[in-house]
């Protein structure tokens, strides 16, 4: 009998800073594929890849930024968090410089000030993740 487990994913709360180390906001992407809406940048962990390496790869592929992992934030595993299938997401807080550019699965990438995040447009459970982050 084959073993069935959830898909492992990574998401990044990417804090963007300017060249003088002033905080500008966090990155959200507009998804190219269903479910449509805004989301934290992220993606799936490949076989043979660590979650940290997957996070750095996904950030480069999706928002064209090299990120520094600041710390592990949390793990989200509610079975219905992703309408497509059961995923477990390892969420990291990251730091980056520059302007994100939407690539790969991201139609566009944006930097939002924390007080301007459009929670009603977020997909998956990313509104919960960001609210947890803001309350931490």
């Amino acid at each position: 009998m084959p073993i069935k487990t959830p898909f492992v994913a990574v998401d990044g709360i990417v804090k963007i800073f300017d060249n003088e180390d002033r905080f500008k906001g966090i990155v959200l992407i507009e998804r190219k594929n269903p479910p449509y809406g805004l989301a934290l940048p992220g993606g799936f962990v490949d076989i043979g890849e660590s979650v940290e390496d997957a996070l750095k790869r996904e950030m480069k592929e999706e928002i064209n930024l090299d990120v520094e992992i600041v710390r592990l934030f949390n793990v989200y595993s509610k079975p219905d968090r992703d309408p497509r299938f059961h995923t477990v997401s390892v969420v990291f807080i990251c730091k980056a410089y520059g302007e994100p550019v939407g690539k790969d699965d991201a139609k566009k990438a944006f930097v939002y000030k924390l007080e301007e995040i459009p929670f009603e447009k977020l997909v998956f459970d990313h509104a919960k993740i960001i609210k947890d982050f803001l309350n931490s």
Side-chain angles (χ1 to χ4, degrees):
M1 169 164 73
I3 297 173
K4 291 187 177 185
T5 63
F7 292 90
V8 179
V10 290
D11 289 307
I13 298 172
V14 180
K15 297 167 73 174
I16 297 292
F17 292 84
D18 68 16
N19 290 335
E20 283 142 28
D21 233 22
R22 287 184 297 236
F23 176 66
K24 294 171 59 177
I26 65 169
V27 178
L28 295 176
I29 58 131
E30 180 182 345
R31 289 182 48 80
K32 214 183 263 187
N33 302 308
Y36 298 112
L38 296 177
L40 293 165
F44 293 102
V45 179
D46 292 338
I47 298 293
E49 184 177 45
S50 72
V51 291
E52 295 85 358
D53 288 344
L55 186 278
K56 289 178 181 180
R57 175 184 52 75
E58 285 289 344
M59 297 306 102
K60 188 66 172 177
E61 289 176 1
E62 204 161 76
I63 60 174
N64 199 38
L65 290 176
D66 294 312
V67 301
E68 171 192 338
I69 295 174
V70 175
R71 69 180 176 91
L72 171 66
F73 178 62
N74 206 345
V75 176
Y76 291 83
S77 63
K78 189 176 174 190
D80 64 351
R81 66 179 299 274
D82 186 323
R84 302 168 298 177
F85 35 71
H86 185 181
T87 62
V88 172
S89 184
V90 181
V91 181
F92 291 91
I93 296 173
C94 309
K95 182 176 185 177
Y97 297 87
E99 289 298 319
V101 177
K103 298 175 85 176
D104 195 35
D105 293 336
K107 186 174 181 180
K108 294 180 184 174
F110 307 94
V111 177
Y112 280 96
K113 293 180 181 179
L114 298 180
E115 64 275 10
E116 296 176 358
I117 295 169
F119 287 97
E120 70 284 356
K121 294 181 179 179
L122 291 167
V123 296
F124 307 119
D125 59 350
H126 292 190
K128 176 180 177 22
I129 292 170
I130 294 172
K131 286 177 184 176
D132 289 351
F133 166 71
L134 293 174
N135 291 324
S136 66

